[in-house]
Amino acid sequence: MRNFLNISLAYRRWRHSHGFGVHSPFAYRFITEVLCLPKVYAYYSYLEIPEGDLRTLFRVAVRLKPTKVAFVGCDNKAVRNAVFFAMPHAVPAPLAEADFVVFDGRKNRKLPADSIPAGANMFIFNYRKWQARYVYAASMQAGMIFRNSSSVAVVAALPFLPRQDFDVLF
């Protein structure tokens, strides 16, 4: 039964990655134009950003337009470049004041869900290692969570969005 569930989940991730079965216009555009952007398209700052999750972080920052960014446990040059090349006018901020939070679930396993501001968008590296991920998802009143099968989750905590979760390959 477990193998069947894995095949079913893999198929659903593939479908959502191509926009099939996604009925929200915001989610469809976010998935197809930000998370699963074809490799033939590129941004101007891609030369300074390594391939992989950091380029995804760059595209998410371009789309969500943060002004105050908190880095929790992943404050290194590559992560900062990915965010600040996307939004040069954004400033680093403490966690309580941030509207965009970037953190590593492996280094911050016990980060409490209530320490994250209610309206803050998030980019989570190694989200499966974060122990409070289910508590945070249950406490969200509005917004969408986009999860990758490997290690990344993106939270778009926008108040006008319905509460939904998507499993996507990106």
Side-chain angles (χ1 to χ4, degrees):
M1 185 73 174
R2 184 168 171 83
N3 289 337
F4 174 73
L5 293 176
N6 288 341
I7 291 170
S8 157
L9 183 60
Y11 177 68
R12 185 173 60 211
R13 283 186 179 130
W14 177 85
R15 281 178 40 90
H16 286 166
S17 300
H18 291 85
F20 301 118
V22 178
H23 300 290
S24 166
F26 173 85
Y28 178 83
R29 291 190 71 187
F30 195 76
I31 290 169
T32 58
E33 297 175 5
V34 176
L35 297 177
C36 300
L37 187 70
K39 292 199 185 259
V40 295
Y41 299 108
Y43 285 87
Y44 62 92
S45 292
Y46 268 10
L47 296 175
E48 289 100 14
I49 300 172
E51 287 193 32
D53 294 340
L54 292 177
R55 287 191 179 180
T56 304
L57 172 61
F58 174 84
R59 293 191 307 266
V60 168
V62 166
R63 175 63 177 92
L64 296 178
K65 296 176 179 49
T67 57
K68 296 179 181 179
V69 182
F71 299 96
V72 182
C74 60
D75 192 7
N76 59 35
K77 184 178 179 182
V79 173
R80 280 184 171 265
N81 284 346
V83 173
F84 293 130
F85 284 162
M87 294 303 296
H89 299 294
V91 295
L95 182 61
E97 299 173 9
D99 62 353
F100 190 70
V101 178
V102 181
F103 79 93
D104 189 346
R106 179 176 289 143
K107 295 178 183 173
N108 300 295
R109 290 181 172 210
K110 297 185 179 183
L111 180 71
D114 58 353
S115 67
I116 298 168
N121 300 313
M122 291 195 301
F123 191 93
I124 308 167
F125 295 102
N126 302 308
Y127 79 96
R128 290 182 181 216
K129 302 293 183 183
W130 184 35
Q131 294 176 353
R133 68 183 183 271
Y134 295 119
V135 174
Y136 178 79
S139 69
M140 282 182 67
Q141 299 296 320
M144 298 179 175
I145 299 176
F146 302 91
R147 292 184 299 253
N148 188 341
S149 63
S150 62
S151 64
V152 175
V154 177
V155 177
L158 303 173
F160 60 86
L161 293 176
R163 179 66 189 93
Q164 290 179 319
D165 293 342
F166 295 96
D167 290 314
V168 183
L169 290 173
F170 59 90

